[in-house]
Amino acid sequence: MLSRTADHLFWMARYMERAENTARILDVTYRLSLLPQNGEETESMWAGMLKIMELQDAFLIKHPAFTTEAVLEFMILDRDNPGSILRCLRATRENAHAVRGTLTSELWETSNATWLKIRGFTMTKIMENGPGDFFEWVKYRSHLSRGVTIGTMLQDEALRFIRLGTFLERADNTARILEVKYLNLLPGSHGDAHMADYYQWSALLQSVSAFEVYRKVYRDQMTPLRVAELLILRADMPRSLARSMKEVYSNLTWVSNARSAETERMAGELEAHLRLGDIESIFEGGLRSYLEDFRERIFDLGCRVSDDFLIPISA
Amino acid sequence: MAITKFFNEMTADDGSVRGHYAGYAAWLRETPLDRIERKRAEADALFHRYGITFAVYGEESGTERLIPFDVIPRIIPAHEWKSLETGLRQRVKALNAFIHDIYHNQEILKAGCIPAQQVLNNAQYRPEMQGVNVPCDIYAAIAGVDVVRAGEGEFYVLEDNLRVPSGVSYMLEDRRMMMRLFPELFARHRVAPVDHYPDMLLHTLRSLAPLGVTDPTVVVLTPGAYNSAYFEHAFLAQQMGVELVEGQDLFVREDQVFMRTTQGPRRVDVIYRRVDDDFLDPKYFRKDSMLGVPGLLDAYRAGRVTVSNAIGTGVADDKSIYPYVPEMIRFYLGEAPILNNVPTYMCRKPEDLAYTLAHLPELVVKEVHGAGGYGMLVGPASTMEQIETFRKYLIANPEKYIAQPTLALSNCPTFVESGIAPRHLDLRPFVLSGTEVQMVPGGLTRVALREGSLVVNSSQGGGTKDTWVLEA
């Protein structure tokens, strides 16, 4: 497969996954913002979310304060914000367009139709019924795109690069979703003091479609430790770091080439750490620094994938 | 004005419906207009969703336009198609023989059939191709010949497009759309299928692989996603199951072309290029080209890669060469031309210029190197000012122009805002030449949507129609 084609497929998948996870992060933060609290708390919550998404500075150039309306506008339809859902869906579509001949027509049309539709949205329309419906729509389009990918694409290299992009992005994004919530958790703490707020945990779980899963797996009350364990270490949880890394590793070994041995080793190491990891010791070392370190490694891995496969081997 | 009467494809002069349109006319009578209008809107929405659009430069990303699609088909009876097809095959065979001759012994010039300076001083003549042998001596593997009808069975060739003719994807998508919108029509008519075209194209390209290559790797070379014909490039690559590459994906090492893949370099044997000659190889042609592959011409001349259509085919489809095509058919094939050429006045000749200047209101004047319907004068449809402006151009640079009588282009009922009304049309069938010459029955019908307009180019507000060749 052409390196350029692989590059477009990889980024097409990453942007679609990013659009979905952005909707998820916004959804959980929005729900939390509705809990009884003062305006200052709400603003600091949005500020924290933007910080973890590395968009705080860009936001402050356009808006004076972290109000719910301003953040939603910035993160949903802002054409100048490369992290907005609109921009993610546009990038998805542009990458798909560049390789439309490699995609099945169903997959291309799904991506194109999503883009045509979001161009018709306005913030007024989105806020009419609350943004929840819109977030649902984004998730639904992402589900559809994933389903069409798996249901129609030949299981060849193209599919592997798409899956690689999806799971590398998801690993990063799930880590960020966790960080938003565990922002205030101190190293060494098990966060028991926060258990008073059942709604916060349930909102977090719901944002990654894991509320029922939690119940099924633990059949017990919610604790921050278990929530973290579910989203970090449980390989049977589809959005967890462990699951994402397992997929990254297996897709990477599938597309393996003469230059990629070290990248595969690093991915394998990260995957093994998660497979054999223990949540108690992660909490001992501090969850936040653990997640930050994880994201750094994911970033490195992304760069290495580019170098090994996507940037053409020079003549 | 010279023209009063046009040949209507559907209705004869006495008002009766022509035989091959009888079934469709009956369907049209029993189908409410608002149903057709609904279907037309549905077609627009579907074309948008499929992304069968072209990018508009300078507008926001994602701004793409549709080429208008008309839901009323253009129908050609079997016997007319048969003679058209025979004529087209003959013409393209002669054109390929001509290009081969020009880049080898130039017999036709020696015989004095065409003035040598007409060919050798032409900007489209590529001296780099002199003496280069290409597989099967085929230069124009893909030809899109523009044909118009003036009267019953009276077809004229307007233009031979031998460089990078486009439009075949619209031929295929228009058919697909019609079958989706009006399946019942296809149950009533025996419409010859066209959807095997990509298969035929792949077969043609493979048959032109360099000597000794048994299982060639074929690619489609596109200028990129922002090119107005990008949809077609991606479509054809996908339908043939080959890679769609850009210049940056290819490189040449020791006269061999490779593409950059995730598994390292991979050899390329046949390039169906949709990039113009000028941009193909910055080492030899335009130095500033970002779309080409440095060294491609070296590999090509060494016979290590096939570039299709060949470099330098423009020497045969130039408007100044066009008048000589009938001569080529006689010279190379020893046959009488089957299809008519439009009588052409070459303004570089003083007597032709004098005639042209004296008859401007009845003539069509075209730039020799123009394309896309730009830079032309349609005498009968022009104002005195426009005609006088062109008169000045002609006197200043006569060699830049040719003139032709305004043809009474046939028309066909077309769905327009005011309802159903006749609009003028042409036809671009595609001729594939490899080890054998092949065609699918049909082509792209382009229709001038503006009332009275004789210009069908999409850049000038033209649309397309599905073209039905009926099986006998």
Side-chain angles (χ1 to χ4, degrees):
Chain A
M1 155 170 298
L2 287 179
S3 298
R4 186 177 51 81
T5 304
D7 187 52
H8 285 301
L9 293 170
F10 178 75
W11 284 103
M12 172 190 80
R14 285 197 76 153
Y15 279 116
M16 188 69 236
E17 184 67 25
R18 191 175 297 177
E20 175 183 343
N21 289 320
T22 302
R24 290 178 179 278
I25 294 181
L26 290 172
D27 195 24
V28 63
T29 314
Y30 179 74
R31 284 189 210 201
L32 293 176
S33 78
L34 299 178
L35 296 175
Q37 58 193 323
N38 62 41
E40 232 167 79
E41 282 169 327
T42 309
E43 289 199 11
S44 82
M45 198 160 62
W46 285 119
M49 183 204 79
L50 286 171
K51 188 164 188 296
I52 282 161
M53 299 178 89
E54 294 166 45
L55 290 168
Q56 212 182 61
D57 294 343
F59 177 87
L60 285 171
I61 292 169
K62 299 192 93 171
H63 303 277
F66 298 100
T67 62
T68 302
E69 291 70 24
V71 174
L72 287 181
E73 192 189 322
F74 181 69
M75 288 307 300
I76 293 177
L77 291 183
D78 194 323
R79 278 163 205 281
D80 303 325
N81 171 15
S84 72
I85 291 175
L86 178 100
R87 284 283 297 268
C88 287
L89 293 179
R90 185 171 98 186
T92 306
R93 192 264 185 191
E94 276 180 358
N95 279 289
H97 187 234
V99 291
R100 59 179 291 174
T102 307
L103 308 175
T104 55
S105 3
E106 286 100 323
L107 183 52
W108 152 248
E109 280 164 34
T110 301
S111 163
N112 192 41
T114 304
W115 164 243
L116 292 175
K117 175 93 179 169
I118 195 174
R119 287 166 71 204
F121 277 109
T122 60
M123 278 319 284
T124 325
K125 207 164 133 191
I126 289 171
M127 296 309 284
E128 234 166 49
N129 297 324
D133 285 359
F134 175 78
F135 298 138
E136 280 299 314
W137 176 78
V138 176
K139 281 196 275 176
Y140 173 76
R141 296 306 299 184
S142 179
H143 294 327
L144 187 63
S145 161
R146 196 162 38 244
V148 171
T149 302
I150 294 167
T152 66
M153 288 286 291
L154 182 70
Q155 306 219 339
D156 67 354
E157 225 186 333
L159 180 70
R160 303 296 163 179
F161 277 105
I162 291 175
R163 303 294 279 168
L164 190 56
T166 300
F167 287 104
L168 210 54
E169 185 66 27
R170 187 180 295 173
D172 170 278
N173 295 174
T174 297
R176 286 183 206 260
I177 292 176
L178 278 165
E179 280 177 73
V180 174
K181 182 61 202 81
Y182 286 83
L183 204 52
N184 303 317
L185 210 60
L186 297 168
S189 148
H190 282 194
D192 295 334
H194 290 255
M195 259 326 288
D197 206 340
Y198 167 84
Y199 292 103
Q200 295 208 7
W201 300 113
S202 63
L204 172 68
L205 286 171
Q206 278 164 9
S207 78
V208 287
S209 312
F211 184 76
E212 293 87 353
V213 173
Y214 184 96
R215 288 289 189 222
K216 207 168 181 172
V217 172
Y218 295 102
R219 287 187 231 146
D220 199 352
Q221 66 172 162
M222 262 175 247
T223 71
L225 194 83
R226 283 181 187 147
V227 170
E229 185 185 60
L230 182 67
L231 296 185
I232 296 172
L233 299 178
R234 292 286 303 214
D236 50 0
M237 163 63 202
R239 311 198 74 81
S240 72
L241 306 189
R243 181 79 227 167
S244 301
M245 278 316 299
K246 208 172 161 163
E247 297 282 351
V248 166
Y249 182 63
S250 79
N251 283 293
L252 199 51
T253 49
W254 202 98
V255 297
S256 168
N257 70 12
R259 301 200 297 184
S260 63
E262 177 59 14
T263 308
E264 289 167 52
R265 192 198 63 75
M266 285 171 64
E269 188 180 54
L270 197 50
E271 189 272 331
H273 268 296
L274 287 161
R275 182 158 34 90
L276 307 170
D278 163 55
I279 197 67
E280 297 274 353
S281 54
I282 290 174
F283 268 64
E284 284 308 319
L287 183 64
R288 240 184 111 179
S289 66
Y290 176 84
L291 291 172
E292 274 171 8
D293 175 62
F294 177 81
R295 281 205 293 111
E296 233 163 79
R297 291 203 204 195
I298 287 290
F299 179 78
D300 285 344
L301 216 46
C303 295
R304 295 198 62 99
V305 168
S306 281
D307 289 344
D308 291 351
F309 299 98
L310 312 180
I311 294 171
I313 297 159
S314 56
Chain B
M1 275 208 230
I3 305 149
T4 46
K5 195 126 206 82
F6 296 105
F7 182 90
N8 187 302
E9 300 273 339
M10 185 155 148
T11 325
D13 289 349
D14 63 3
S16 64
V17 173
R18 296 182 198 280
H20 56 282
Y21 263 102
Y24 185 79
W27 176 88
L28 199 56
R29 268 194 305 277
E30 71 200 36
T31 307
L33 222 54
D34 65 327
R35 170 157 186 260
I36 299 179
E37 173 57 50
R38 263 203 321 278
K39 291 285 181 181
R40 190 174 71 145
E42 192 184 326
D44 276 4
L46 285 169
F47 275 128
H48 268 297
R49 201 180 83 198
Y50 297 160
I52 303 178
T53 49
F54 59 96
V56 185
Y57 291 96
E59 292 185 27
E60 198 212 336
S61 140
T63 307
E64 276 157 17
R65 291 214 188 120
L66 296 180
I67 294 183
F69 164 70
D70 185 60
V71 294
I72 301 178
R74 189 259 185 92
I75 307 178
I76 300 172
H79 68 276
E80 275 192 357
W81 175 255
K82 208 173 157 216
S83 76
L84 196 54
E85 178 173 351
T86 316
L88 289 163
R89 286 168 179 262
Q90 178 195 53
R91 195 169 169 104
V92 171
K93 256 185 216 160
L95 286 162
N96 269 309
F98 170 73
I99 306 169
H100 175 76
D101 185 26
I102 289 305
Y103 291 119
H104 289 81
N105 295 334
Q106 307 185 337
E107 303 290 352
I108 200 165
L109 304 183
K110 288 176 192 156
C113 299
I114 304 176
Q117 89 280 356
Q118 261 312 97
V119 175
L120 304 179
N121 295 343
N122 192 305
Q124 294 301 321
Y125 169 74
R126 303 281 175 191
E128 297 88 351
M129 287 297 291
Q130 202 58 52
V132 177
N133 290 319
V134 303
C136 304
D137 297 339
I138 293 294
Y139 290 76
I142 301 101
V145 182
D146 291 346
V147 179
V148 296
R149 180 215 289 278
E152 182 97 51
E154 206 187 324
F155 287 104
Y156 287 88
V157 172
L158 267 192
E159 213 167 71
D160 305 286
N161 296 288
L162 306 177
R163 300 174 215 183
V164 285
S166 64
V168 79
S169 58
Y170 292 94
M171 168 184 91
L172 298 170
E173 288 293 350
D174 286 357
R175 173 62 54 80
R176 206 185 280 184
M177 186 61 74
M178 281 299 277
M179 294 183 88
R180 178 170 177 152
L181 297 177
F182 306 107
E184 74 273 20
L185 279 173
F186 290 86
R188 288 191 187 193
H189 293 86
R190 296 187 57 198
V191 181
V194 291
D195 48 357
H196 52 297
Y197 177 86
D199 234 45
M200 228 180 226
L201 176 60
L202 182 61
H203 175 80
T204 301
L205 293 167
R206 287 177 64 99
S207 77
L208 294 174
L211 207 65
V213 178
T214 46
D215 185 16
T217 298
V218 178
V219 300
V220 177
L221 175 65
T222 174
Y226 297 101
N227 183 272
S228 60
Y230 174 73
F231 159 70
E232 177 156 307
H233 308 159
F235 174 85
L236 290 174
Q238 182 186 42
Q239 297 291 309
M240 291 192 289
V242 306
E243 291 286 356
L244 178 67
V245 305
E246 295 178 14
Q248 52 168 317
D249 299 323
L250 300 180
F251 67 93
V252 177
R253 190 164 56 201
E254 287 160 10
D255 288 348
Q256 183 67 56
V257 180
F258 294 92
M259 58 180 163
R260 306 172 204 270
T261 82
T262 53
Q263 298 294 319
R266 189 173 150 208
R267 225 179 78 174
V268 170
D269 305 301
V270 181
I271 301 175
Y272 175 29
R273 53 90 172 223
R274 298 295 299 260
V275 172
D276 292 335
D277 281 1
D278 278 341
F279 296 94
L280 264 186
D281 184 346
K283 204 171 137 192
Y284 292 94
F285 306 120
R286 277 184 61 160
K287 307 277 176 259
D288 59 342
S289 170
M290 305 293 286
L291 309 173
V293 188
L296 181 59
L297 186 67
D298 296 327
Y300 184 50
R301 286 207 294 217
R304 307 291 292 279
V305 68
T306 300
V307 173
S308 222
N309 286 350
I311 295 168
T313 54
V315 74
D317 71 359
D318 191 83
K319 289 189 181 71
S320 68
I321 301 295
Y322 163 88
Y324 300 103
V325 178
E327 199 49 46
M328 294 175 198
I329 295 172
R330 284 186 281 266
F331 186 82
Y332 296 110
L333 310 179
E335 295 170 9
I338 296 167
L339 296 173
N340 303 310
N341 238 34
V342 185
T344 303
Y345 305 98
M346 290 175 266
C347 300
R348 67 184 167 79
K349 294 186 186 169
E351 66 274 22
D352 283 12
L353 177 65
Y355 178 89
T356 303
L357 291 172
H359 295 85
L360 276 178
E362 341 163 350
L363 297 175
V364 175
V365 184
K366 295 175 181 172
E367 274 182 35
V368 171
H369 302 301
Y374 293 105
M376 63 187 277
L377 174 83
V378 181
S382 301
T383 62
M384 276 323 278
E385 284 97 319
Q386 287 168 325
I387 288 174
E388 290 315 308
T389 313
F390 248 79
R391 186 185 303 282
K392 282 184 204 129
Y393 294 163
L394 275 164
I395 294 167
N397 290 302
E399 69 288 349
K400 273 180 68 182
Y401 296 93
I402 57 155
Q404 294 170 333
T406 309
L407 287 182
L409 250 59
S410 68
N411 59 34
C412 177
T414 300
F415 203 92
V416 293
E417 270 172 34
S418 55
I420 293 173
R423 289 292 183 267
H424 296 292
L425 35 77
D426 81 347
L427 176 68
R428 177 178 289 182
F430 294 87
V431 184
L432 298 175
S433 310
T435 41
E436 54 188 321
V437 180
Q438 291 181 291
M439 292 180 73
V440 295
L444 175 68
T445 292
R446 298 186 297 176
V447 53
L449 294 173
R450 246 178 297 141
E451 192 173 358
S453 170
L454 294 170
V455 186
V456 296
N457 303 69
S458 59
S459 52
Q460 310 285 311
T464 68
K465 279 172 175 288
D466 189 16
T467 311
W468 294 3
V469 171
L470 296 184
E471 289 183 335

